[in-house]
Amino acid sequence: MRETHMHPFKESIRFYARNIESLLLLSAVLVVPFFIIHNFTLNYLNLIAAITGAKFVASFFNLFLLLLFLLILQIPFAQYVQSDLDGDERPIRKVFRTFFEHSFSVFVFGIVFSFLVSTGMMLFMIPGLILMVLFYLTPFFVVLKKQSAWRSWRAAMEMGKKHFFQLFGLLLIVSVVEWLISLAGLFLVTSITSTFGAVMFIELLLNVIVLPFFAVMFMMYVNKWKEEAAGAEAAVAGGLLLDER
């Protein structure tokens, strides 16, 4: 098993550059269908909202679907990183096996997670943010523990509590960067054409490129924090042994 000693962000850049072909292939196969479903569902909801005036409902479901799909799509990239760290010779096979084994449990967990976070964000903001930070790492622990989301969320919550502000900062940066990239892409396309297909294609392309990097980055941080926790536990155990002697 290969350990990461570099800063997680720098290691993420190196890992992404080194494995860009495989990561983009995975992204094209898995992210594209989810993105298309999300966009068509959202457009349908926006149409209903425009007719009925229920814009709040459309905003709620936009956030709900975004969080749900994002939670599920973390699994393959997290597994690819872990397979590489473990020295697995066939990481792609392991990625799809893990995805098909655990995506349903993450999907069901994600419905509860997305509903609570979306409700908290829409009504009170702060509770939604707290819930998102505490349980966001659940898919990564599904990969690490090789267990369902219902057996992994406690470990994710413990790490979320311990590294709350670091994780909140990462999520904030990711949100801002993704918003800026989407804005830049939209500005670039609309300066040339305003057709829906072109705008959707650019958004899809940006998501296919960017989403794998963010998932890789979070997995690198999870591994770093896990190693730090294991080192701290070993130090405490060593101190106890010395005291007993």
Side-chain angles (χ1 to χ4, degrees):
M1 180 174 180
R2 184 160 58 87
E3 295 182 357
T4 56
H5 298 290
M6 290 183 65
H7 188 278
F9 182 74
K10 292 179 181 177
E11 182 64 19
S12 301
I13 294 173
R14 289 185 61 183
F15 184 91
Y16 184 85
R18 192 170 66 246
N19 298 279
I20 190 166
E21 290 180 3
S22 297
L23 290 170
L24 291 182
L25 175 63
L26 283 173
S27 192
V29 171
L30 296 171
V31 174
V32 171
F34 281 92
F35 180 87
I36 292 171
I37 292 168
H38 176 262
N39 267 265
F40 277 103
T41 305
L42 185 60
N43 287 325
Y44 179 72
L45 289 170
N46 284 334
L47 178 63
I48 294 173
I51 295 169
T52 61
K55 292 183 179 179
F56 177 84
V57 176
S59 299
F60 176 86
F61 276 104
N62 178 32
L63 182 58
F64 174 84
L65 288 174
L66 189 65
L67 289 170
L68 177 60
F69 289 165
L70 187 59
L71 215 64
I72 297 168
L73 290 171
Q74 308 278 13
I75 302 170
F77 303 111
Q79 182 58 64
Y80 190 87
V81 173
Q82 195 58 41
S83 293
D84 184 81
L85 296 176
D86 292 341
D88 196 330
E89 293 182 358
R90 296 181 176 180
I92 297 291
R93 180 181 293 185
K94 190 72 173 286
V95 163
F96 282 106
R97 186 187 307 153
T98 301
F99 183 74
F100 288 119
E101 281 179 3
H102 298 295
S103 58
F104 182 73
S105 78
V106 174
F107 173 75
V108 177
F109 174 83
I111 290 174
V112 179
F113 168 84
S114 302
F115 178 80
L116 292 175
V117 172
S118 300
T119 302
M121 295 275 274
M122 289 291 177
L123 297 179
F124 309 108
M125 184 59 78
I126 301 296
L129 288 172
I130 292 171
L131 285 171
M132 184 168 68
V133 173
L134 289 179
F135 298 104
Y136 186 81
L137 298 179
T138 299
F140 300 95
F141 276 90
V142 166
V143 170
L144 286 171
K145 295 168 74 67
K146 298 178 174 59
Q147 294 179 340
S148 72
W150 303 106
R151 293 176 176 235
S152 305
W153 67 266
R154 290 184 186 274
M157 184 182 70
E158 288 301 316
M159 184 170 280
K161 282 162 62 178
K162 189 173 182 180
H163 299 280
F164 184 88
F165 291 106
Q166 288 173 282
L167 191 52
F168 175 76
L170 286 172
L171 287 168
L172 184 63
I173 291 168
V174 165
S175 301
V176 171
V177 168
E178 192 159 342
W179 177 73
L180 288 173
I181 289 172
S182 297
L183 200 65
L186 186 64
F187 177 77
L188 180 66
V189 173
T190 51
S191 64
I192 302 169
T193 177
S194 59
T195 58
F196 171 75
V199 173
M200 183 177 169
F201 176 76
I202 291 299
E203 285 186 3
L204 173 60
L205 186 63
L206 289 170
N207 276 279
V208 165
I209 294 169
V210 171
L211 196 146
F213 175 76
F214 289 148
V216 167
M217 182 182 71
F218 278 108
M219 193 61 181
M220 290 296 181
Y221 272 97
V222 167
N223 271 286
K224 176 178 178 285
W225 293 336
K226 183 169 67 76
E227 289 171 10
E228 287 175 352
E233 286 177 9
V236 170
L240 290 173
L241 283 172
L242 286 174
D243 290 341
E244 287 176 3
R245 290 177 184 176

